[in-house]
Amino acid sequence: MSIRHSLLALLQDQPRYGYQLRVEFENRTGSTWPLNIGQVYTTLDRLERDGLVARKGDDGEGHVIYSITDKGQAEVQGWFAAPVERNNPPRNELAIKLALAVTLPGVDVQAAIQAQRVASIKALQDYTKARRDTAAGQRSGDTAWLLVLDSLIFQTEAEVRWLDLCEARMVQQAQPAGTNPARKTVNGVPEAAAPLNADSRR
């Protein structure tokens, strides 16, 4: 997540001090990715050092107000225009956990998969309910939160499908040589689960 560019984008809207930036970021993303206030001020210091923001006095109560510079405007516009690169995918704790589990003796991989599936389906149900409730009483400022919820729903659906695939691979590996596993395979790879519907898993 680019905190640097997120803060610049909020300053493009209007000048703000650090705590206001933190509150605005969390309000617009549904507090899905909470920001540490120390992280906000550290980032502002770096942005000021790089000439992307400038101090514009204070609010009379000791809060330093920051505004975006022309260089900062160009930076944030370039960020919005460019795709998010996938050269270095973020660490996925679940993928790392299961990758290690299948390579170490004494780990019950099936139990680990099942425990995660239960948690992921619960999260999917919660996200789906939050989206339904928000859409039912949608206000003008809810669009950003709905976009975040849609992203979380799709990511969690994909996670549950991946867990199904992991389990199918474990079942296939457990089959004696020369037997046909019960689950269908495509080119030797277990067929992925059917598309998910969060309501159907309640």
Side-chain angles (χ1 to χ4, degrees), residues 64-82:
V64 177
I65 303 293
Y66 293 87
S67 65
I68 194 168
T69 63
D70 290 343
K71 183 179 177 183
Q73 291 273 8
E75 175 88 5
V76 76
Q77 288 169 12
W79 180 59
F80 279 126

Side-chain angles (χ1 to χ4, degrees), residues 82-158:
V84 175
E85 294 186 5
R86 300 292 182 185
N87 294 338
N88 296 304
R91 289 187 181 91
N92 183 318
E93 182 178 353
L94 177 57
I96 293 169
K97 177 180 177 179
L98 292 185
L100 291 174
V102 299
T103 64
L104 295 171
V107 179
D108 189 339
V109 181
Q110 294 278 14
I113 291 171
Q114 182 57 25
Q116 185 63 50
R117 182 189 286 108
V118 170
S120 298
I121 290 174
K122 174 64 168 59
L124 180 57
Q125 292 170 346
D126 291 344
Y127 294 145
T128 302
K129 182 179 185 301
R131 197 205 186 288
R132 186 169 53 246
D133 293 346
T134 303
Q138 186 172 356
R139 298 164 299 179
S140 59
D142 286 338
T143 301
W145 176 222
L146 287 170
L147 288 175
V148 171
L149 282 170
D150 285 338
S151 175
L152 292 171
I153 288 168
F154 285 127
Q155 288 174 33
T156 311
E157 286 179 340

